Amino acid sequence: MINLFIGIDDTDSPNKYCTTYIATLLLETLRENGYTLDLPKLIRMNPAVKYKTRGNGGISLRILDNLSSKDKEEIKNITIKLVEKYSDFDCDNTNPGIVFIDEEKYKEHKEELQQYYKKVLYDIVDIDFAERFISKIGGQFIKYKLGRGIIGALGAVSSTPPYTYELLTYRKKEMWGKKRNIDEKSVIEMDKSTFPYTYDNYDYENEKVLITPNTPCPVLYGIRGINKEVLLKAKEMIKGETPEKYTIFKTNQGTDVHLRNMKIKEIYPNTGVIVYGKVIKNPKNIEGGHVLFTISDETGEIGCIAYEPTKRFRDIVRELIIGDYVAVYGTVREYPLEINIEKIKILKLAKKYIKDKKCPNCGGTLKSKGKKLGYKCKKCKIIIPYENIKKIEIERQIKIGFYEVPGSARRHLSKPIQIIDFNLLENDS
Ligand code: ATP
């Protein structure tokens, strides 16, 4: 069998097009020409990459037929034509790349490809590295402008399970750039009736539809989930503008594959981590509406930050106190080196106390006169030293368990708690 893998990335801009649209047209054209294809893949890579347009995603297709050299030439020509037609070459930040790899080369270098997948998820890769890698394993690449897209094109080809799915619908050309008309109520109904098999359809906290993009791209909406059949049903429930076509992609969205367990000492910027540690500095509000606290493990300490767009998630974070034991999930920013929290697991809650302000002598109210002077009763004027004030344990306002940012602030790769709670990725292949 001589199958072929195709990877494509970095074709669109904030103003125009979408790499998944090229994948859909390519799939359609190749099928029309008699080829058989696997489900296309939409693979997200390191979310800390600064060149990304939106969610740092690349696409990959796999042709399953026994291909002759002539077939391969035909497939490559069709791919090149579509990429050239639907890339926004005018945008400085758009640097398309295409990668072709034969099945036999893919199999021969499977382990290296798996390592590349990890690298493109965890680290910042440079174009030369990707270029050398593709040449070394006997693949072929095509670069336009800087050709940065080959990094993600290879990343998409190299991906391994776990996968979820996204059903993407596309608009008729005459609708591109116009306001999307999707009935909000139908999205809420779809969300409720397909739970827990679809996710991030609607943000109830911010009353916002999440399935429609905000750019003038060809996508009408995308429904994310873990079951293809449910996604098809979900599509039927959405009312409003009628899509022209749709494609179901296999994707690493909602899987947390960009995160790995790390000790604080090992942490470096622009990577995804899960860190277990004890809260050593209480949360504080900082400029911009963000909330910052510090955790430590046996190797060091690091700040963890819940950004303003995470809205009510910050209220959970504000309830943490020194001594709590947590696992922080997130990506690491560079200056200062801090974890941008995507999710938090509270594992152990410290006891929280308040000072008993009732006078032990007369029952009046004690008033603080500062650490040195202690407390003085307003009524009987007795003075009680600071360290002798009784403490009363109070109930904590948070419970042990997982807490996550709202859908509108979630990264594509972050695994929603509903997937964790219902164990929905267990049997994925
Ligand atoms: P699109 O909707 O086009 O997929 P995007 O948000 O995915 O938009 P791209 O336009 O694809 O962004 O830009 C991301 C760029 O970063 C691509 O050129 C991709 O090849 C590259 N890239 C992906 N992962 C990495 C990585 N780990 N290190 C460095 N560059 C990367």
Side-chain angles (χ1 to χ4, degrees), residues 4-5 99-117 128-141 150-151 153-155 157-159:
L4 183 69
F5 290 90
V99 171
F100 298 108
I101 300 173
D102 285 344
E103 170 101 7
E104 56 184 51
K105 299 284 179 201
Y106 179 92
K107 280 192 178 146
E108 223 176 280
H109 299 278
K110 210 166 178 180
E111 269 173 33
E112 288 144 276
L113 281 160
Q114 279 168 9
Q115 278 163 17
Y116 181 86
Y117 180 46
D128 283 353
F129 179 86
E131 202 172 313
R132 273 184 273 122
F133 189 99
I134 299 162
S135 302
K136 198 182 95 192
I137 66 166
Q140 186 192 345
F141 59 83
I150 63 168
I151 302 169
L154 181 62
V157 170
S158 69
S159 73

Side-chain angles (χ1 to χ4, degrees), residues 9-12 18-19 44-46 49 51-58 93 95 119-121 123-126 148-153:
D9 197 4
D10 210 346
T11 63
D12 53 31
C18 176
T19 310
R44 304 285 176 180
M45 285 150 274
N46 188 347
V49 163
Y51 319 105
K52 68 180 181 184
T53 313
R54 288 178 291 251
N56 196 12
N93 198 24
N95 296 285
K119 194 170 169 60
V120 86
L121 284 168
D123 292 325
I124 305 294
V125 177
D126 57 49
R148 182 174 290 118
I150 63 168
I151 302 169

Side-chain angles (χ1 to χ4, degrees), residues 326-340:
V326 294
V328 176
Y329 293 58
T331 39
V332 183
R333 51 169 293 177
E334 195 157 6
Y335 300 114
L337 193 82
E338 279 166 358
I339 305 172
N340 170 2

Side-chain angles (χ1 to χ4, degrees), residues 121-356:
L121 284 168
Y122 298 153
D123 292 325
I124 305 294
V125 177
D126 57 49
I127 305 173
D128 283 353
F129 179 86
E131 202 172 313
R132 273 184 273 122
F133 189 99
I134 299 162
S135 302
K136 198 182 95 192
I137 66 166
Q140 186 192 345
F141 59 83
I142 299 169
K143 289 163 63 184
Y144 297 91
K145 295 163 68 187
L146 293 176
R148 182 174 290 118
I150 63 168
I151 302 169
L154 181 62
V157 170
S158 69
S159 73
T160 53
Y163 293 119
T164 61
Y165 300 95
E166 177 159 0
L167 185 153
L168 280 160
T169 64
Y170 299 95
R171 317 178 77 183
K172 296 184 187 90
K173 258 197 186 136
E174 62 266 27
M175 298 305 287
W176 293 6
K178 292 189 183 147
K179 193 174 173 292
R180 291 173 178 85
N181 166 29
I182 294 296
D183 179 61
E184 187 167 341
K185 259 199 204 143
S186 74
V187 177
I188 296 174
E189 254 167 55
M190 177 278 278
D191 179 63
K192 293 198 163 146
S193 71
T194 57
F195 180 87
Y197 302 102
T198 66
Y199 68 92
D200 281 353
N201 300 309
Y202 193 77
D203 185 336
Y204 292 91
E205 184 183 334
N206 300 302
E207 296 186 350
K208 203 173 147 205
V209 169
L210 298 178
I211 62 172
T212 47
N214 301 314
T215 53
C217 70
V219 173
L220 179 59
Y221 60 81
I223 310 174
R224 292 156 278 230
I226 52 93
N227 179 296
K228 284 174 281 182
E229 285 68 40
V230 176
L231 287 182
L232 289 169
K233 272 191 213 145
K235 176 171 94 55
E236 294 312 311
M237 297 183 72
I238 301 301
K239 296 192 184 110
E241 186 182 323
T242 314
E244 183 188 51
K245 49 180 103 209
Y246 75 90
T247 304
I248 295 182
F249 287 85
K250 227 177 185 179
T251 170
N252 60 355
Q253 292 171 173
T255 61
D256 272 353
V257 286
H258 62 310
L259 308 179
R260 67 203 143 136
N261 284 302
M262 270 196 175
K263 290 285 171 205
I264 293 173
K265 195 179 70 182
E266 302 162 352
I267 293 177
Y268 56 88
N270 300 318
T271 195
V273 295
I274 302 171
V275 185
Y276 286 78
K278 211 177 214 175
V279 176
I280 57 158
K281 277 187 202 151
N282 283 329
K284 61 173 182 197
N285 295 322
I286 58 167
E287 212 185 312
H290 320 308
V291 179
L292 175 72
F293 65 96
T294 306
I295 59 167
S296 78
D297 65 8
E298 65 281 14
T299 69
E301 59 182 71
I302 191 161
C304 305
I305 188 157
Y307 280 103
E308 191 279 332
T310 67
K311 303 287 173 201
R312 284 213 297 255
F313 175 71
R314 292 169 304 163
D315 295 338
I316 303 294
V317 168
R318 284 188 186 106
E319 287 295 326
L320 293 169
I321 59 168
I322 292 174
D324 287 344
Y325 191 66
V326 294
V328 176
Y329 293 58
T331 39
V332 183
R333 51 169 293 177
E334 195 157 6
Y335 300 114
L337 193 82
E338 279 166 358
I339 305 172
N340 170 2
I341 314 171
E342 294 171 12
K343 218 172 15 239
I344 188 165
K345 186 156 72 174
I346 301 177
L347 297 150
K348 222 163 145 186
L349 288 169
K351 288 191 166 151
K352 190 173 181 180
Y353 299 96
I354 51 162
K355 295 197 177 75
D356 187 358

